[in-house]
Amino acid sequence: MIKKFTIGAIAIAFSFNAFTVFAQEAVNAEAVKKIRAEGLDKSKVMDIAFQITDVIGPRLANSPGIKRGRDWAVKYFTDLGLKNVKQESWGDFGKGWSVEKYYAATTAPFYRPIIGYPKAWTPGTNGPIKSEVILVKADTVTDLEKYKGKLAGKIVVIESVMVQPLKNSYTPDVVRHTDEKLAEMAAAEPAAPGQGRPAGGRGGNNQMAMMMRMRQNRAAINEMLLQEKVGLILTYARGNYGTFFTSNGASYAVDAKPVAPELEVSAEDFLHILRLLRGGEKVEVEAEVKTTFYPQDPKGYNVIAEIPGTDKKLKDEIVMLGGHFDSWHSGTGATDNAAGSIVMIEVMRILKAIDFKPKRTIRIALWDAEEQGLHGSRGYVKQHFADPTKMELLPEHSKLSAYYNLDNGTGAVRGIYLQGNASARDIFQAWLNPFADLGAKTVTISNTGGTDHQAYDAVGLPGFQFIQDPMDYNTRTHHTNQDTYDRLVEDDLKKSATIIASFVYHTSERADKIPRKELPKPVAPRN
């Protein structure tokens, strides 16, 4: 670990221009000092967080919430003095959706509010409903016959072998990377070509076949329930201790087939109802769900803004940074991914605050519809750089130096994934060294997936995601009703914004663009 005084000592000894050299890569110590002072001592991350989470709220793709968020971001960027600020369509998404009202409770054998929420893109109940809860047991499609004509307007629970009793957890929800874990990541070897999961998935062909049968059976049950005009479906939601993980219950396509109203119910409340039904007790539930669909504009939009480059030779080249702005709907999308958006917005604020005049143009993107398949970033990359199914390079492809992404919760940056790009290792290690005191020191050759840097990597562009402390992202906040402002850690957001601002600064100033991997071959179109 290199202390701050070491950085300063080397700077004085080796450069009159406040440059240090680690592994042949320049680090502007004076710029780092300014960035640290602005990012750590004058931070606005929690002001930005308040607006995006508490004021704007959940930002499901193409919902009124994401539209409020985009409008706010455009104004914020404009007020900040950024240029070329716009909402840019990446292509067609589908219909929007939002919850206007939700209420549910058991009324027999006693009154108890139900923790839950409507599944995304499902309809409402057309007013208040109240009924005895029916337990639907159907291992095969033929088992459904006995329910025909009996379920109109009823509230139902579906028996499933996937519903298991809860077990206490004896591991902490919130964790940080240990030094041992970071050392293991730093020592990782490049993945062998073609290395991946064995055919048939983790459990092999038998497990895959079983899952397919269960899905087909559930689809048949859902179709029957729709035809029977069921009043409401109660579904077991993954999670515990009152936390539930949310999802969508229907397609967002404009011409999607209709479905029945459906609630995801917290494990504790669902299991309470299920135990009563299995024990032969009468269960009564009352509920009212009101949802609204928005098919008027099916297009999706990213928010784009820039600090223009100033160097005559390099100003047309681009350094990009971003994170997805959309979220799920049961919380306010604080750690997924207001946190990443907050940090990247703060990076732009820091660079403006220190009056940075970059050589290359710095462009931020707040991505749309990441949760449904990286749609915003993939659409943008296809329009600006290349279509991965054809690999016919557009003019901007040669101008991008790097894209930096943040999307793993509130945890502080601890390093960076190289995504297999070994040529960038020494560069990034040099840029991390001034932040060893903040716990950021690790460069790993490993890949990480599931977020927007993959859209760049897929067309041979240097796209990177930062290593972050896990915190309670996977245990408590990722896609859950607990993903709120209160789960954000201010110190971590400050550190991340400061470190990434320095990365963006140095990427814009270095003589050459970030090295690239070999250009990939075209891939088959996604279904």
Side-chain angles (χ1 to χ4, degrees), residues 227-283:
Q227 292 175 0
E228 290 292 302
K229 296 182 171 54
V230 69
L232 182 64
I233 303 169
L234 305 182
T235 300
Y236 181 83
R238 182 172 62 90
N240 55 33
Y241 302 109
T243 296
F244 65 89
F245 292 75
T246 195
S247 61
N248 61 300
S251 169
Y252 46 81
V254 173
D255 59 353
K257 294 180 180 179
V259 299
E262 186 172 357
L263 291 184
E264 280 179 309
V265 177
S266 68
E268 291 85 354
D269 287 343
F270 186 93
L271 290 170
H272 169 231
I273 293 170
L274 186 59
R275 286 191 299 271
L276 290 169
L277 293 172
R278 285 172 173 172
E281 299 290 336
K282 179 182 176 180
V283 181

Side-chain angles (χ1 to χ4, degrees), residues 353-372:
I354 66 171
D355 198 28
F356 178 42
K357 302 292 191 298
K359 291 180 179 179
R360 292 178 175 86
T361 293
I362 297 171
R363 182 183 299 168
I364 186 173
L366 302 179
W367 303 119
D368 182 43
E370 185 269 357
E371 298 292 3
Q372 287 69 45

